Amino acid sequence: MKFSPNNPCPCGSGKKYKKCCQMYHKGKVASTPLELMKSRYSAFAVGNVEYIIKTSTFQKDKTDLEQFCKECEFLKLEILDFSNTTVTFKATIECNGADATFSEKSYFIQKDGRWLYESGEILG
Ligand SMILES: [Zn+2]
C-alpha cells in the first residue's frame, strides 16, 4: 500500500487523504451512508481490502478484491444522488488500461451503530 497520507483523498473531497477518508480507515465511524460510500471508494483506491470487507453485509473474497484493486485505477468519484439509506454515484475507473467506468445505486443498512454496504444496483 503505497498511498501517501498527504496525497489528495481519492474520494475527491479536495482534502488530504489523512484528513479525510483515512480517518474512517483508521476507525472513525461513518455517520451517514454518503460518508461510508466515499470512504469505501477511497479504500478501493488505496487497496485497503480489509475496510471494504468490514463495511459490507456480505462476504467478499479477499483475493478477488485485492486483484481488482491492483488491476484498476480509481480516477474519479461523482455523487449523483443520495438519501438516508442510498447513494447513487459514478465511479470513473480504468482496469488493465481499459475504461471500466460505471454508475451504481448502493443500498446501506445500519447495524450496531455502523453503516454497512448492503447491495448495489448497476445503472445503465
Ligand atoms: Zn476522502
Side-chain angles (χ1 to χ4, degrees):
M1 232 161 288
K2 300 222 163 56
F3 195 85
S4 165
N6 287 312
N7 280 0
C9 193
C11 79
S13 63
K15 294 185 217 165
K16 287 180 180 177
Y17 171 54
K18 68 177 180 190
K19 299 259 181 200
C20 189
C21 294
Q22 191 180 40
M23 298 197 292
Y24 300 106
H25 299 167
K26 284 185 163 179
K28 186 178 173 185
V29 175
S31 58
T32 63
L34 184 60
E35 283 181 6
L36 183 73
M37 192 274 136
K38 287 182 179 179
S39 68
R40 281 172 53 87
Y41 178 85
S42 292
F44 276 108
V46 304
N48 188 339
V49 168
E50 285 78 13
Y51 186 79
I52 294 161
I53 293 170
K54 204 175 76 177
T55 55
S56 300
T57 53
F58 51 90
Q59 289 296 310
K60 277 224 182 198
D61 185 77
K62 199 176 170 207
T63 314
D64 285 353
L65 283 171
E66 280 167 351
Q67 183 82 4
F68 181 68
C69 291
K70 217 176 285 173
E71 286 174 354
C72 302
E73 273 192 274
F74 296 78
L75 302 171
K76 194 173 168 195
L77 173 68
E78 291 162 90
I79 304 299
L80 306 176
D81 194 20
F82 64 96
S83 74
N84 290 337
T85 53
T86 65
V87 180
T88 306
F89 65 91
K90 180 180 174 188
T92 303
I93 66 173
E94 216 175 80
C95 300
N96 293 317
D99 181 46
T101 298
F102 67 97
S103 297
E104 181 186 309
K105 183 172 187 180
S106 296
Y107 295 84
F108 298 87
I109 56 160
Q110 206 172 21
K111 258 190 196 155
D112 303 326
R114 287 175 181 270
W115 284 101
L116 299 171
Y117 176 71
E118 190 176 37
S119 62
E121 188 185 311
I122 301 291
L123 307 172

